[in-house]
């Protein structure tokens, strides 16, 4: 699970198969700059060049027009090889002014996967999260259910167990797109604990011991 979701290009393909909305882009990684440029023109500018092994806000380059693409691609290629020891890149359409909303997930070894609502982490500096807000001021009950159900479906597709987070880009018209999945408990987890009154670290220990989750979806509010 960690390997599959750690490679963002592989994760993207798996989420497409699971019918989780993804940003328009390449289905596979691209290495040849000329072939990448052809695909970039099909996607349209502005777009994002992403390192398949990237994370923590690194390995992302926004390209706003065609003349700068090849130089940016070659720089991103070298940077990915140096920083992540993996030069694989893929392309996605750049979505302007999107919110960054993540869904807290939890699965056990008894085929139960639930979500614990959202954390809105749109307030960032240099793609580093500054403030986590829950519940999100942008997400109502109906949209929360839709985001949560979609995240659970993606987690079910890989048989996910333990704590995890599905991250989405959300537009002003409530369209949303899978960005990545973090296969761990995140430092932001106390925000969710405060609003749901669930002890997520305790649940990690339960799941690791082979026990069932101590709560079900209907008991999460």
């Amino acid at each position: 699970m960690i390997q599959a979701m750690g490679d963002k290009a592989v994760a993207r393909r798996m989420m497409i198969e699971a019918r989780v909305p993804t940003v328009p882009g390449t289905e596979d990684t691209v290495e040849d700059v000329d072939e990448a440029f052809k695909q970039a023109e099909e996607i349209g500018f502005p777009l994002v060049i992403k390192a398949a092994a990237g994370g923590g806000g690194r390995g992302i380059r926004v390209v706003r027009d065609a003349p700068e693409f090849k130089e940016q691609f070659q720089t991103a290629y070298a940077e990915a090889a140096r920083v992540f020891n993996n030069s694989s890149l893929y392309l996605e359409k750049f979505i302007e002014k999107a919110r960054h909303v993540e869904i807290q997930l939890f699965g056990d070894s008894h085929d139960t996967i639930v979500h614990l609502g959202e954390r809105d982490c749109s307030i960032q500096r240099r793609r580093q999260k500054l403030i986590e807000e829950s519940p999100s001021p942008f997400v109502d009950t109906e949209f929360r259910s839709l985001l949560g159900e979609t995240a659970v479906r993606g987690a079910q597709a890989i048989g996910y167990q333990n704590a995890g987070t599905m991250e989405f880009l959300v537009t002003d018209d409530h369209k949303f797109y899978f960005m990545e999945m973090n296969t761990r408990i995140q430092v932001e987890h106390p925000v969710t604990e405060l609003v749901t009154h669930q002890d997520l670290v305790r649940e990690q220990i339960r799941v690791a011991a082979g026990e069932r989750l101590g709560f079900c979806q209907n008991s999460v509010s």
Side-chain angles (χ1 to χ4, degrees):
M1 292 180 289
I2 292 171
Q3 279 188 320
M5 294 296 103
D7 185 317
K8 290 181 170 57
V10 173
R12 175 182 164 82
R13 286 198 300 272
M14 294 183 75
M15 291 303 107
I16 290 172
E17 291 174 4
R19 296 178 294 109
V20 173
T22 57
V23 181
T26 55
E27 289 194 15
D28 295 301
T29 54
V30 286
E31 295 193 13
D32 180 78
V33 66
D34 293 320
E35 180 59 32
F37 183 70
K38 291 178 185 176
Q39 296 193 51
E41 289 188 308
E42 291 178 9
I43 296 167
F45 294 91
L47 55 75
V48 187
I49 302 171
K50 288 187 173 183
R58 301 194 67 185
I60 299 172
R61 288 185 172 268
V62 178
V63 183
R64 295 197 171 273
D65 51 49
E68 64 175 303
F69 178 82
K70 290 189 177 181
E71 181 182 351
Q72 290 274 44
F73 185 90
Q74 290 167 335
T75 302
Y77 187 90
E79 182 182 51
R82 184 179 70 254
V83 177
F84 306 113
N85 198 32
N86 183 341
S87 59
S88 298
L89 304 172
Y90 65 104
L91 311 178
E92 283 186 347
K93 185 72 177 172
F94 180 58
I95 299 176
E96 302 270 9
K97 298 180 180 178
R99 281 181 175 269
H100 186 159
V101 178
E102 55 193 22
I103 298 291
Q104 177 68 61
L105 295 166
F106 228 111
D108 63 22
S109 57
H110 302 273
D111 299 322
T112 301
I113 300 179
V114 302
H115 73 86
L116 295 99
E118 80 283 354
R119 296 189 295 263
D120 192 319
C121 43
S122 302
I123 300 176
Q124 300 182 10
R125 180 173 181 266
R126 295 177 182 171
R127 301 193 182 92
Q128 298 297 313
K129 302 168 186 175
L130 295 180
I131 293 176
E132 294 271 341
E133 196 170 2
S134 185
S136 167
F138 189 72
V139 176
D140 59 19
T141 301
E142 184 177 353
F143 191 47
R144 179 174 301 111
S145 295
L146 178 60
L147 282 172
E149 289 166 6
T150 304
V152 167
R153 185 167 68 245
Q156 287 171 333
I158 60 170
Y160 193 76
Q161 294 180 26
N162 221 295
T165 310
M166 192 82 75
E167 306 206 7
F168 295 100
L169 292 173
V170 180
T171 63
D172 287 344
D173 57 357
H174 285 81
K175 291 181 180 176
F176 61 96
Y177 305 95
F178 169 81
M179 185 162 43
E180 64 179 357
M181 184 177 188
N182 297 301
T183 51
R184 62 182 186 274
I185 198 160
Q186 290 183 273
V187 295
E188 306 96 312
H189 78 271
V191 176
T192 296
E193 291 184 325
L194 283 169
V195 298
T196 63
H197 306 294
Q198 299 290 348
D199 186 332
L200 301 188
V201 176
R202 180 186 63 194
E203 295 303 320
Q204 282 200 301
I205 296 169
R206 291 174 64 98
V207 169
E211 297 181 18
R212 294 181 182 274
L213 282 176
F215 57 88
C216 63
Q217 190 66 72
N218 290 339
S219 64
V220 176
S221 62

